[in-house]
Each structure stands twice: as structure tokens, then as C-alpha cells.
Amino acid sequence: MALSNDWFTEICTESGSAFSLKVKEKLHQEETPFQRIEIYETNHFGTLMVIDGFIMLSDFDNFFYHEMMSHPALFTHPNPEQVVIIGGGDCGTLREVLKHKEVKRAIQVDIDERVTRLSEQFFPELCEANSDPRAELLFADGIQWVKDAAPGSIDIIIVDSTDPVGPAKGLFSAAFYRDCFRALGDDGIVVHQSESPLIHQELIRDMRNAMHSAGFTQQLTINFPQPVYPSGWWSATLAGKKEILTTFREQASRNKPFVTRYYNHDIHLAAMALPEFWRERD
Ligand code: SAM
């Protein structure tokens, strides 16, 4: 991370590239027991949250990520009633999940309560569903929480984590996915943010292999734009116990009774299309 001449810059060492945003001011900075959190006011992307030097979200473009982390999985599961979000402390994914009326309970388990408290302060629109009676906010290590979850008790686990460093490292392991497999019901789906389809191909391959070795028969990597993340192109990988992940509740998706800014039925189909170089990868 570098801040010079009013620009915030995130350097991506793997690709020898950098992404910069012009900032007006730094609004907040603190070291929590888990990570360093910074909040900036940018000139054109609204408020920006950065953890350990890596951009988490901006006002301007977080809808791509939050909608694609939630709606494809929720429209793929036949009846998503029990949803758990691991990480996701900014509450943007929680807000999208709660748009689905089938959801009876959505538990968000983030290791760092400060992320949520700062999001309430600086990103209030992302937290507008936090008082929904179906929402439960827990502050604990998601790895241990899933290990302790009752077998077969969850329909969807969304892993809205930071990159695989620090407290999030174990979230990318086969051991964690095995615990997810056990905690999920028969139609259960886990979906994990899987970084850039261009820069992090090895990570995506390792994630899919780890999910497979944990017992999930199906994996599906979907892709979508995310301007503030390295390469501007991002992905999420779904794993299912038995559901064919390329088929989803198309009628329900077409007639969704809630507003989104990116996700719709056609985007869902398009996000599953495989570029040629992914076929070579598999
Ligand atoms: N979309 C973002 C990205 O990829 O840049 C991630 C957003 S969300 C803020 C990531 C959250 O994961 C952080 O709030 C962090 O505290 C949380 N986290 C990291 N490791 C965790 C763990 N082991 N258990 C629960 N939450 C964890």
C-alpha cells in the first residue's frame, strides 16, 4: 500500500500491477487484534475500506461482488432457508441474502467485530438489513464455528473472506471445506470468493481440488467484474453435494421480487460461461 499525492495505491505483487484511487482524505485507521483497517473518502468511488493494505470495498462498485456472492447460490439451492456467511463483516452480503424471502435465518460470523462497527458507521446502506429479525451477527473464528455447527443444519455457506493470509488462511483449506460438507444439508452449497480468474488461476484450481477432496461432487466457478480488485475481474467458486450447479431456479430468478443493480437471470447464465483458457486449465 502506498499513499502519495492524494492517491491510494494497492500493489498486486503476483501480477506486478497496481490499482490507484484518488482520495480526498483518510477518515479512520485502527489496528484491531486481527488486522489493520483504514477508511478513506475517495473522489469518485465514495467511501473505501482497506484491510491490511488490500481494498475490501468501495461505495461505488461493491454491488457487483455482494450480489454475485449471494444470488447465484441462493437461486441454485432448491429452498435456501438457513444461510451462514463466514467473514463478510461489512454486511453487504448479508443484506443481499436477506432479500430472499425463503431465508429463515442468516448468520454472519466475522472474526473481527470492528469491521462491522466501522461498516455501520461508514457504510450504513450496507447495514440496513442488520436489524432484520432473521439476521444474527456473531463475532468468532468462522473456521471453529463451522467445525462446531450441527451436521446437516445449513443450506448455504457463503465464505466472504479476505485473501488467504492471516486469519483467513485456513478458510481456503480442504479441512475447512470438509467441515462445511458435514454442516451442510443434502442439497447444501458452499460458495467462496476465489480471487481473480486471470491472476489467481492456481488459487482457483487449488480451491476446486480442495472442495472436491472434501467430498463435494460439483464445483462451478462464476466470474464477474469488480473494478477495485486486482485485474478488475473477480470470481466465486461454488461447490455442491449433489445439486447440478449449472441449473438454477430460472423462473424465480427471472421474476425476483427485489431490486439488484447487476444480478439478473441473464447475468447468472453469463457468469457461468467458461473462457477458453479455463477449459485448458481444467
Ligand atoms: N470482499 C472482500 C475482499 O475479498 O476483499 C472481503 C470482505 S469482508 C470485509 C472479509 C472479512 O473476512 C473481514 O471482515 C475479516 O475480518 C473476515 N475474516 C477473515 N478471516 C476470518 C475467519 N477466520 N473467520 C471469520 N471471519 C474472517
Side-chain angles (χ1 to χ4, degrees):
M1 194 280 282
L3 186 62
S4 64
N5 300 327
D6 304 329
W7 287 84
F8 171 85
T9 296
E10 176 184 324
I11 292 166
C12 177
T13 42
E14 299 100 296
S15 59
S17 60
F19 177 76
S20 295
L21 285 172
K22 191 148 175 60
V23 297
K24 290 182 189 162
E25 60 174 320
K26 186 186 267 191
L27 300 172
H28 184 80
Q29 172 170 333
E30 72 179 72
E31 288 284 343
T32 76
F34 306 100
Q35 50 214 353
R36 186 179 75 252
I37 311 177
E38 293 161 89
I39 312 281
Y40 294 90
E41 186 58 35
T42 71
N43 285 54
H44 299 287
F45 278 60
T47 313
L48 178 75
M49 182 189 281
V50 176
I51 291 185
D52 287 340
F54 298 105
I55 293 176
M56 293 291 115
L57 64 125
S58 84
D59 273 336
F60 183 57
D61 72 345
N62 74 80
F63 63 93
F64 290 109
Y65 178 88
H66 290 137
E67 292 181 12
M68 294 306 282
M69 285 296 288
S70 47
H71 303 308
L74 271 100
F75 279 120
T76 301
H77 193 283
N79 188 23
E81 292 185 346
Q82 305 291 333
V83 179
V84 172
I85 300 158
I86 300 298
D90 54 73
C91 306
T93 299
L94 179 68
R95 181 181 71 165
E96 296 306 313
V97 165
L98 289 167
K99 288 179 178 175
H100 292 253
K101 62 177 182 340
E102 298 85 357
V103 171
K104 290 191 170 150
R105 194 159 69 137
I107 305 175
Q108 177 185 286
V109 189
D110 198 293
I111 202 165
D112 192 345
E113 180 168 0
R114 289 303 300 155
V115 176
T116 299
R117 299 301 164 226
L118 290 172
S119 191
E120 287 167 346
Q121 187 179 348
F122 293 103
F123 298 90
E125 69 293 350
L126 296 184
C127 299
E128 62 195 17
N130 289 8
S131 53
D132 186 309
R134 299 170 297 160
E136 205 174 312
L137 304 186
L138 303 178
F139 301 104
D141 181 1
I143 299 169
Q144 191 59 43
W145 193 91
V146 173
K147 206 190 280 277
D148 295 340
S153 60
I154 306 169
D155 296 317
I156 297 184
I157 299 175
I158 300 176
V159 192
D160 182 357
S161 69
T162 38
D163 299 340
V165 286
K169 194 157 192 278
L171 294 172
F172 289 73
S173 70
F176 172 69
Y177 298 132
R178 261 195 299 279
D179 291 333
C180 290
F181 188 90
R182 197 190 44 82
L184 286 166
D186 288 346
D187 294 317
I189 295 170
V190 61
V191 50
H192 195 167
Q193 74 89 5
S194 47
E195 313 266 316
S196 164
L198 185 64
I199 302 172
H200 303 113
Q201 292 179 45
E202 204 177 312
L203 179 145
I204 295 173
R205 194 178 49 238
D206 290 350
M207 180 183 283
R208 291 170 64 105
N209 287 341
M211 287 167 160
H212 185 76
S213 74
F216 291 99
T217 50
Q218 311 275 331
Q219 288 90 47
L220 172 71
T221 300
I222 57 173
N223 65 99
F224 49 90
Q226 190 53 66
V228 296
Y229 290 168
S231 82
W233 190 29
W234 217 244
S235 71
T237 295
L238 290 77
K241 279 191 169 182
K242 71 172 198 301
E243 283 304 305
I244 309 241
L245 297 168
T246 47
T247 59
F248 60 106
R249 292 183 290 121
E250 294 206 39
Q251 195 63 15
S253 164
R254 258 197 214 95
N255 301 324
K256 64 180 174 54
F258 52 80
V259 174
T260 47
R261 292 184 66 197
Y262 183 65
Y263 178 87
N264 60 31
H265 168 264
D266 291 354
I267 289 287
H268 191 144
L269 287 175
M272 297 192 290
L274 288 182
E276 289 301 316
F277 72 87
W278 283 16
R279 293 183 204 281
E280 289 160 22
R281 178 198 67 194
D282 293 334

